[in-house]
Amino acid sequence: MISVPDDTSFPRRADVVVIGGGIVGVSTAFYTSRAGLDTILLEMRDGLATLTTAASAETFHAQLDQVEMIRLVQSSIEIFEHFSTVIGLADCDIGLHQQGCLFISSDPYAPQVLQARVEFQHSVGLEDVEFLDGADARHRFPFLSPRVTAATYRAKDGWLSSHQVTYGFARGSQACFLLRTRATNIKVDGKGVCEVETERGTIHTRTVVIAAGPFSGQVSRWVGVELPLQILRLQKVVIADPAIPQDAPMTIDWETGCYWRPEVGGGMLGWADPDELETEPAENVLADWRFPALVLEQASRLSPLWKDVGCNLGRDRLFLSAGQQVYVSDGMPILGPVSGVEGLFLNAALPKGVMTAPAAGRYVAEMITGQMLTEDNPFGYERLN
């Protein structure tokens, strides 16, 4: 149930309280409620998935460098592929496009580097990644520049609607989702977590999950837990242009990190400017109107079709937005309990939020219920201390 509570409907007790209503928090609430736990999720805004989830590129790919992250994303992709069955709603369409993910490079050493990367991925069970030399890449993907020296490709990667995934999890769960209900404090007693205070009242609980995205560090400080979060602005632009090939894969420049993919009637481009400074958590993240020119220049480097798009671009065909990416030094999320604060769990610092949210929510729920042991969790908070 999704609602804005009043004095008569506000719940006073729960087995689990999840703080944060993005895709990460909603996934967590889905799995804890499915485990039979009376779950309440608190969201401070008017709707679910309106901050970092809404600003995401909505993509997923398993072509990563850490075995733990590869397995986490593989688990999420499996959930995406069977989503309506997982949530028990046959009518739920998440807009799944498995059109592949293509990493490209112009570096003269890229053939050796990317070949080694693919061999590693094969060795840990990601066996369907392909290595392509420059000629093969350009033959299969004619939009690529002659400068491309090597590429990797995985056909089962792609993108989806993060909004539909989030609301699908909400619809399929037995949790109670409270909108316009801002958490203000977490109280502890001699046994650990005991209450969550909100602007509408207090909820008694012995289990709290912090899944508040860029605000997770602020929330954790209520109980004296410091999270070493780094927060960066991420921007994306959707450009309406029929010249963008709609059958193209998500394409990522290995050297710059610039990426693009088809969007209905055009394409979406994104890039994290390496010169940007870290920022503070914010509800309103302003986009920079210089960004489209910058990202088009980056994308045109190895996908020249974007140069032609940029030459004929009008502002009325640009849809620009910005959000925040949260991560810690090793690039892995923080999942699970916090020693010293009984009943406190984290689902935070997911640098690849949409593509890891389903599996991360399931992991945290399994740790709450005891199905996953702490020693089997490679994403624990203690690894950072």
Side-chain angles (χ1 to χ4, degrees):
M1 180 181 68
I2 304 173
S3 66
V4 178
D6 57 24
D7 289 343
T8 60
S9 62
F10 184 81
R12 302 294 174 178
R13 188 173 301 277
D15 295 328
V16 179
V17 174
V18 179
I19 300 176
I23 190 172
V24 174
V26 176
S27 167
T28 308
F30 170 82
Y31 282 106
T32 56
S33 70
R34 280 296 182 95
L37 300 175
D38 181 21
T39 301
I40 293 172
L41 181 143
L42 305 176
E43 170 52 47
M44 62 185 177
R45 290 165 62 88
D46 292 344
L48 303 174
T50 62
L51 280 176
T52 55
T53 304
S56 76
E58 303 183 297
T59 57
F60 57 89
H61 69 84
Q63 298 178 64
L64 301 166
D65 297 314
Q66 295 159 299
V67 60
E68 299 89 352
M69 291 297 292
I70 290 172
R71 289 172 179 162
L72 190 69
V73 174
Q74 282 182 298
S75 295
S76 285
I77 293 174
E78 184 177 356
I79 293 169
F80 293 145
E81 290 174 331
H82 304 93
F83 192 73
S84 61
T85 300
V86 170
I87 65 170
L89 297 172
D91 65 338
C92 187
D93 180 3
I94 62 171
L96 185 67
H97 287 77
Q98 287 181 295
Q99 288 182 210
C101 179
L102 178 71
F103 280 89
I104 55 178
S105 177
S106 61
D107 191 296
Y109 297 102
Q112 297 95 319
V113 173
L114 292 183
Q115 177 74 67
R117 188 175 190 241
V118 168
E119 289 174 359
F120 162 74
Q121 291 165 345
H122 287 179
S123 73
V124 298
L126 194 67
E127 299 175 353
D128 55 351
V129 182
E130 301 176 61
F131 170 78
L132 307 174
D133 64 25
D136 287 340
R138 292 189 297 274
H139 175 73
R140 288 180 60 174
F141 304 101
F143 57 79
L144 294 180
S145 163
R147 299 173 60 189
V148 171
T149 58
T152 68
Y153 176 73
R154 182 173 184 266
K156 288 190 175 182
D157 295 334
W159 57 91
L160 43 68
S161 168
S162 59
H163 177 88
Q164 291 296 91
V165 172
T166 303
Y167 277 86
F169 273 134
R171 289 172 56 213
S173 81
Q174 287 81 47
C176 179
F177 299 88
L178 304 184
L179 306 180
R180 301 183 202 165
T181 307
R182 185 184 297 267
T184 57
N185 200 10
I186 300 170
K187 303 290 285 185
V188 297
D189 61 16
K191 296 181 180 179
V193 167
C194 62
E195 293 177 344
V196 176
E197 295 178 349
T198 80
E199 292 178 337
R200 297 181 181 275
T202 298
I203 303 172
H204 299 275
T205 185
R206 285 296 179 184
T207 304
V208 172
V209 181
I210 299 175
F215 297 92
S216 294
Q218 293 180 351
V219 175
S220 70
R221 291 190 194 107
W222 296 342
V223 287
V225 174
E226 193 67 32
L227 302 182
L229 303 182
Q230 300 173 62
I231 303 173
L232 292 178
R233 179 174 67 165
L234 280 184
Q235 300 184 80
K236 71 175 183 181
V237 60
V238 175
I239 298 177
D241 193 306
I244 308 305
Q246 293 299 293
D247 59 350
M250 176 186 177
T251 303
I252 304 174
D253 188 322
W254 171 257
E255 289 141 82
T256 69
C258 176
Y259 53 87
W260 66 271
R261 66 167 175 82
E263 185 66 62
V264 176
M268 186 278 296
L269 303 97
W271 180 54
D273 187 342
D275 295 327
E276 284 220 353
L277 300 176
E278 290 183 33
T279 186
E280 294 298 314
E283 284 193 61
N284 299 305
V285 183
L286 298 179
D288 185 343
W289 273 103
R290 296 171 297 179
F291 177 75
L294 292 171
V295 75
L296 279 167
E297 180 181 3
Q298 293 292 331
S300 300
R301 196 179 81 86
L302 298 181
S303 300
L305 65 93
W306 288 105
K307 185 173 293 184
D308 296 333
V309 171
C311 289
N312 302 294
L313 192 59
R315 188 161 176 166
D316 60 334
R317 291 160 53 205
L318 295 175
F319 304 91
L320 183 61
S321 61
Q324 293 182 314
Q325 181 183 45
V326 188
Y327 62 97
V328 294
S329 57
D330 65 2
M332 300 202 302
I334 311 174
L335 309 178
V338 178
S339 61
V341 187
E342 186 68 29
L344 181 69
F345 290 79
L346 300 171
N347 196 344
L350 279 70
K352 303 181 184 301
V354 168
M355 70 176 81
T356 53
R362 186 171 64 188
Y363 276 28
V364 171
E366 289 177 350
M367 283 183 267
I368 290 172
T369 60
Q371 292 174 272
M372 177 183 285
L373 301 178
T374 302
E375 53 265 33
D376 295 330
N377 171 31
F379 306 109
Y381 169 71
E382 281 68 28
R383 78 179 193 276
L384 302 171
N385 298 323

